Amino acid sequence: MAVNYREFAKRFETISAISMTPFFPDTKEIDWDGVKENINFLLDHGAQVIVPCGNTSEFYALTLAEAKEEIRRVVEWVDGRALVLAGIGYSAETAIELGKYAQEVGADAVMIHQPIQPYVTDRGAVSYFKKIIESLDIPSVLYFKDPHLSDQVLKELASLEKLVAVKYAINDLPRFAKVTRDIPADEYNLTWVCGTAEKWAPFYFHAGAKGFTSGLINVYPEKSFEMLLGLQQGDTEAVWRVWEETLEFENLRGKYNNGNNVVVVKEAMNQIGLTAGVTREPVDPLDEGDKQAVTQLLQKWGLLKVQV
Amino acid sequence: MAVNYREFAKRFETISAISMTPFFPDTKEIDWDGVKENINFLLDHGAQVIVPCGNTSEFYALTLAEAKEEIRRVVEWVDGRALVLAGIGYSAETAIELGKYAQEVGADAVMIHQPIQPYVTDRGAVSYFKKIIESLDIPSVLYFKDPHLSDQVLKELASLEKLVAVKYAINDLPRFAKVTRDIPADEYNLTWVCGTAEKWAPFYFHAGAKGFTSGLINVYPEKSFEMLLGLQQGDTEAVWRVWEETLEFENLRGKYNNGNNVVVVKEAMNQIGLTAGVTREPVDPLDEGDKQAVTQLLQKWGLLKVQV
């Protein structure tokens, strides 16, 4: 059955929900029941794209065996109710190994992380991404984050039919606006996705994005969808209202050069009764001040049943 | 047999030679004969510390199985003639797995790479490094590169007796000078190593470093040792002469946000008749202009027998 990549690309015109990996506080082993609960929470709230092994899933804190198991189990638990976009990365060979595993267990597409190598050239990055994309049967989404790479890299990869979306995460809006003009989504069968969540989504959408990634969706999915709907319907007032309501949370995640990115989401989930456990190294639990900031925000949002 | 960590630390008061991983141009598989030739070249020229699986060894372009094999073979080939410092990294669990493998096959110490996680906190980084250091019997060297991490991380780790050196790679010299004063090498049994090679070594030594890492040593070891000797003997004139002679090479490696770091060394090695092969993704071969710049420099250095 031939895949219609143009149609497939459109499935990313929504929120890409980065799923969490709860770890037990004592052993730091993966709490698989917690992962499942988190996936069901996302599905119950209407998530259409679930991303295991994203950055906020603490992909790089997992062993390769654990990353594979996370992909396999998430595919099984989602069971066709949403699209599963599996994060893959590391060396080209390792990324291909993870990608082949993902397609074997039924993931719908892979998200290729930014190369972790400290030394990367533009032409080398093209080779890296192209090798991975062409080695897999399922479609790929690029995670484009390193501001030192030229957008020429994307230009060279855009014509690959199996590249269906780019998750752009360089918050240089004029640069992003230019690249969406140089590589028009409809000519290339790909969807531009804002890779830096609710805080940046309004700006990216203004410049051509049709989807955004979210970690907040694990805590307060109603707000994430309110923003998506506002963006899709051009309801500027709603967009800015949600933007303002969620900004403090996103800024708290941005503290310590984004060191707080995951642990703030986990803390919030735990406080409202979901199961997120702790983070693994190199991220420690929040300090008391930041914990209280999370509590105050959850109170303001009305998500805490009991006042702490 | 109890290790004298103070004595052991002093063994890093030299050049840490980052060994290369040659790949065959057609298959990009590892050319093990080439690795061995490179190791023998380094030993023949007096290298006392050999570092397989460093950044310039393209550690992150290797699979885990390949990284292990590189460590095992290098230990075997060095055969006690130098200290082998094996690079390890990735998730804490994976780093421990690599480290245990390294000690099992006889590596003398491990170099723990900067965490690759996109989100890192100070306390989390302490947990990460400490967990790895304490899980291993052989001593550890820290690779400290992320300017967003506080030097407080080092302060908290310095008292671990198995931490024998810090390879500091943040080129903020006042910051480095301060940290070497806050954590005096002789009080803590560790050696401060300049992690950014010949270009920066004079400045780091002025502030307390006693060793430096080198990629140039794979091409022109005489120059690297000339600089080391000059630094050790306080021969300022010699130091600046070598610094000036090697600056262009290091600047060429620094092009494209250091994208050229490895490929320039490989190109130079190949041109003078050593075996370096090609780089793996995400680095492509040098363009013609940079190749010619390498040739001109090698000619100036008198390393090319035939004028190309």
Side-chain angles (χ1 to χ4, degrees), chain B residues 22-68:
Chain B
F23 301 110
F24 289 113
D26 45 353
T27 60
K28 297 209 174 176
E29 292 296 312
I30 301 176
D31 176 354
W32 291 113
D33 290 336
V35 177
K36 187 174 184 178
E37 182 190 304
N38 172 235
I39 296 297
N40 283 330
F41 177 86
L42 290 171
L43 292 170
D44 288 348
H45 287 87
Q48 293 170 307
V49 175
I50 310 258
V51 188
C53 292
N55 274 338
T56 302
S57 321
E58 294 173 74
F59 172 59
Y60 291 111
L62 305 177
T63 64
L64 293 181
E66 288 172 333
K68 286 181 180 174

Side-chain angles (χ1 to χ4, degrees), chain A residues 35-57:
Chain A
V35 177
K36 187 173 184 178
E37 182 190 303
N38 173 236
I39 296 297
N40 283 330
F41 177 86
L42 290 171
L43 292 170
D44 288 348
H45 288 87
Q48 293 170 308
V49 174
I50 309 261
V51 188
C53 293
N55 275 337
T56 301
S57 321

Side-chain angles (χ1 to χ4, degrees), chain B residues 239-297:
Chain B
V239 167
W240 291 111
R241 189 182 60 242
V242 181
W243 183 83
E244 207 166 333
E245 282 174 323
T246 56
L247 183 62
E248 202 179 329
F249 186 76
E250 294 299 300
N251 283 344
L252 197 54
R253 294 179 66 198
K255 265 182 85 170
Y256 313 122
N257 187 41
N258 288 314
N260 266 2
N261 180 290
V262 181
V263 67
V264 162
V265 175
K266 286 194 161 180
E267 175 65 26
M269 288 173 71
N270 288 329
Q271 286 195 24
I272 61 175
L274 300 172
T275 306
V278 296
T279 48
R280 275 190 182 168
E281 307 84 3
V283 177
D284 258 20
L286 282 184
D287 61 36
E288 278 310 313
D290 286 347
K291 272 188 192 172
Q292 282 172 20
V294 171
T295 305
Q296 282 162 13
L297 199 52

Side-chain angles (χ1 to χ4, degrees), chain A residues 14-34:
Chain A
T14 182
I15 302 170
S16 288
I18 315 299
S19 65
M20 307 299 289
T21 311
F23 301 110
F24 289 114
D26 45 354
T27 61
K28 297 210 174 174
E29 292 297 311
I30 301 176
D31 175 353
W32 291 114
D33 290 336

Side-chain angles (χ1 to χ4, degrees), chain A residues 71-307:
Chain A
I71 294 169
R72 179 177 62 73
R73 288 181 184 247
V74 168
V75 169
E76 185 189 321
W77 292 330
V78 168
D79 195 23
R81 290 178 289 169
L83 189 150
V84 176
L85 176 66
I88 63 173
Y90 298 108
S91 74
E93 282 314 312
T94 305
I96 290 167
E97 181 191 329
L98 287 171
K100 286 191 169 167
Y101 183 85
Q103 72 187 25
E104 191 184 303
V105 298
D108 300 285
V110 295
M111 177 181 76
I112 310 172
H113 280 276
Q114 184 67 30
I116 53 166
Q117 281 84 351
Y119 314 126
V120 186
T121 59
D122 280 354
R123 285 190 306 143
V126 170
S127 301
Y128 175 87
F129 286 124
K130 194 170 177 181
K131 186 173 189 172
I132 299 167
I133 294 169
E134 291 187 337
S135 297
L136 302 176
D137 298 324
I138 54 177
S140 290
V141 173
L142 280 200
Y143 188 3
F144 204 70
K145 194 181 181 185
D146 179 357
H148 297 104
L149 285 179
S150 153
D151 292 327
Q152 189 59 31
V153 170
L154 298 177
K155 185 95 184 161
E156 288 189 37
L157 294 167
S159 55
L160 297 175
E161 63 170 6
K162 279 188 286 188
L163 178 62
V164 291
V166 175
K167 179 181 163 183
Y168 204 87
I170 304 164
N171 293 327
D172 176 341
L173 275 305
R175 180 174 163 175
F176 177 67
K178 183 66 167 68
V179 77
T180 62
R181 272 147 192 78
D182 289 346
I183 308 173
D186 50 359
E187 274 179 41
Y188 287 92
N189 301 336
L190 59 79
T191 295
W192 290 103
V193 175
C194 162
T196 49
E198 287 82 357
K199 179 174 171 178
W200 291 90
F203 308 100
Y204 276 79
F205 267 64
H206 199 54
K210 294 283 181 73
F212 62 88
T213 59
S214 177
L216 172 71
I217 194 172
N218 292 286
V219 177
Y220 204 178
E222 296 83 354
K223 283 294 145 196
S224 301
F225 279 108
E226 225 176 290
M227 177 171 280
L228 178 69
L229 203 69
L231 289 167
Q232 289 176 333
Q233 300 185 337
D235 183 348
T236 316
E237 204 180 315
V239 167
W240 290 111
R241 187 182 63 242
V242 179
W243 183 84
E244 207 165 333
E245 281 173 325
T246 57
L247 184 62
E248 202 179 328
F249 186 75
E250 294 299 299
N251 283 345
L252 196 55
R253 294 178 66 197
K255 264 182 88 169
Y256 312 122
N257 187 40
N258 288 314
N260 267 2
N261 179 292
V262 181
V263 67
V264 162
V265 175
K266 285 193 161 180
E267 175 65 27
M269 288 173 70
N270 288 329
Q271 287 195 24
I272 61 175
L274 299 172
T275 307
V278 297
T279 48
R280 274 190 181 167
E281 307 84 4
V283 177
D284 260 19
L286 282 185
D287 60 35
E288 278 311 313
D290 285 347
K291 270 189 192 172
Q292 283 173 20
V294 170
T295 306
Q296 282 162 14
L297 198 53
L298 293 173
Q299 284 173 332
K300 200 195 286 181
W301 286 347
L303 294 183
L304 282 183
K305 269 132 209 149
V306 185
Q307 298 292 308

